[in-house]
Structures are given as C-alpha cells and as structure tokens.
Amino acid sequence: GGCLPSLTLIVSQSSQPMEWPRPHEKLVQSGADWQLNACVDCHTPTLGSYATKFKDAADVLVREAAAGNATLDSVIIPIMFLYRQYLELTLKEIILLGREVVGTGKGYPTNEHDLKKLWDEALSLLTAHYGPRVPPETTNVTPCIEDLHSYDPKSFSFRYPTDKHGKPYLKEVRHINIRNLYEVMDRLASFLDCMSIDLGAAYDYVTERNNG
C-alpha cells in the first residue's frame, strides 16, 4: 500500500535488491553450513553462563564501534542493555551462591530487576562471608552500581525510548564514552566474577560437607 513508493526508492538506490520474507522460513534452525551453527547452551545453563554471553556480546559491539565497523550512535543502546543484563544476572548469581554459603536461604530474587537492591543484598552476603577479609575494592563497586541504577532502575531505559506516560527515559543522558564504559565495566566484571567464582567454590565445599 502506502509504503511501497518509499520502498521502491530505497531499492533503486541500493546495490542489492530488497527481499521480503519467503514462504516457510524459520528464524530458529540449524543449517548445513555447520561452522555457522551456534551452540545455544552446550552445558547446563547457569546465571553465570548467560551473564558472560551478554558481556561478551557487548564487548564485541564496543570493539567493532571503536574500530569504525559499526555506527556508534546505533549500537550504544544495545551495548548498555547487554552490560546491564550482565550485571543483573551476575548479582543474582552472587546472591544465589551467597545465600547457600552464608545460610540465609536459597535461590535468588527472580522478579527483582533493581540493581541497587540486588547489590545491597549481594554486598551484605559478601560481607557476611568474608567478614574482616572482605576485599576493600567492594566499596568501589557501589558508586558504579548506583550510577547505572540512577539511569535505569527497573531495566526499561535501554529497552524502550519512553515510559508508559510518554516521558523519555534517557532525557538527561547526552553522551556515553565507550572507552570509559568498556574499561570501567571490565574492572567491575573482573571483581564480580572473582566474587562469584570464590562463592561457587565455597558452595561446592558446603554441599560436599552436607552430603558427606
């Protein structure tokens, strides 16, 4: 209908003809070109394995944008969402393991997306686990979490342009430097991943002891 004239113009200016969906196509299937078949989850999926995938994808986008292979303004929103999702899942994994190790419960807050609340519980569990040996860098994590939380408290800001009332989520944000973002996230991830790995080892010990 009304969109066809503009589509014709786009096609005429492109070196490749525009295609629309073909009959019986599927988005999710394997292919004969096996080297391009991605393994969705070869092992038992965990919060940590999913978190790593989100961060890896964000890192790739940052590097490609920095190299000029992607339009920075187009990929910054997906980058921020992917990094935020990494943080949410990693904090939930720390809570999951920490509750078991410290003995305060089981599971993790499945319906909670508030990074500040998640970090508050994770920090409490880390403090209970390590006691006076809690890494001093723990205090450096809080400002990073609170900063991102201030722009995206409920995991909507990097998924939708406006709230349900039509108010832009990121009106106060003009620029995000991807070099700084990448470097700070890398340090933050190094710390959180180490905490998760250490709690995982402690969890294995507690489980083995309780089953022995």
Side-chain angles (χ1 to χ4, degrees), residues 34-210:
W34 59 267
Q35 67 273 23
L36 297 181
N37 287 338
C39 181
V40 177
D41 229 314
C42 297
H43 308 287
T44 303
T46 64
L47 289 169
S49 68
Y50 267 56
T52 298
K53 291 172 183 179
F54 283 111
K55 183 178 181 296
D56 286 349
D59 288 346
V60 169
L61 286 176
V62 169
R63 289 194 291 266
E64 289 298 301
N69 297 324
T71 304
L72 181 55
D73 293 349
S74 295
V75 298
I76 187 59
I77 295 297
I79 287 170
M80 292 301 299
F81 168 77
L82 291 167
Y83 276 145
R84 191 199 186 283
Q85 187 69 1
Y86 157 79
L87 287 173
E88 180 176 326
L89 294 183
T90 302
L91 291 177
K92 286 180 175 179
E93 182 174 62
I94 289 174
I95 291 170
L96 172 69
L97 296 170
R99 285 177 177 180
E100 291 278 0
V101 171
V102 175
T104 58
K106 295 180 179 294
Y108 62 92
T110 56
N111 295 321
E112 184 60 74
H113 305 289
D114 185 312
L115 289 181
K116 188 175 183 302
K117 288 181 180 179
L118 292 172
W119 171 239
D120 285 345
E121 182 174 356
L123 177 58
S124 176
L125 291 167
L126 290 173
T127 302
H129 174 57
Y130 288 107
R133 298 183 298 108
V134 65
E137 291 81 4
T138 302
T139 59
N140 299 334
V141 175
T142 301
C144 294
I145 298 295
E146 291 181 345
D147 178 52
L148 183 54
H149 170 82
S150 69
Y151 296 110
D152 191 10
K154 300 295 182 181
S155 191
F156 286 109
S157 301
F158 300 110
R159 294 193 294 141
Y160 299 96
T162 63
D163 62 18
K164 60 183 179 180
H165 303 294
K167 181 181 177 181
Y169 279 116
L170 300 173
K171 186 177 181 180
E172 306 303 320
V173 182
R174 184 165 178 80
H175 297 114
I176 298 175
N177 183 279
I178 63 166
R179 176 197 51 75
N180 176 76
L181 173 66
Y182 181 88
E183 292 176 354
V184 174
M185 273 300 309
D186 201 52
R187 289 190 285 271
L188 190 57
S190 293
F191 177 86
L192 293 176
D193 289 347
C194 282
M195 296 299 98
S196 181
I197 291 170
D198 193 50
L199 283 173
Y203 170 77
D204 291 341
Y205 172 78
V206 169
T207 301
E208 183 178 346
R209 183 188 61 191
N210 291 341

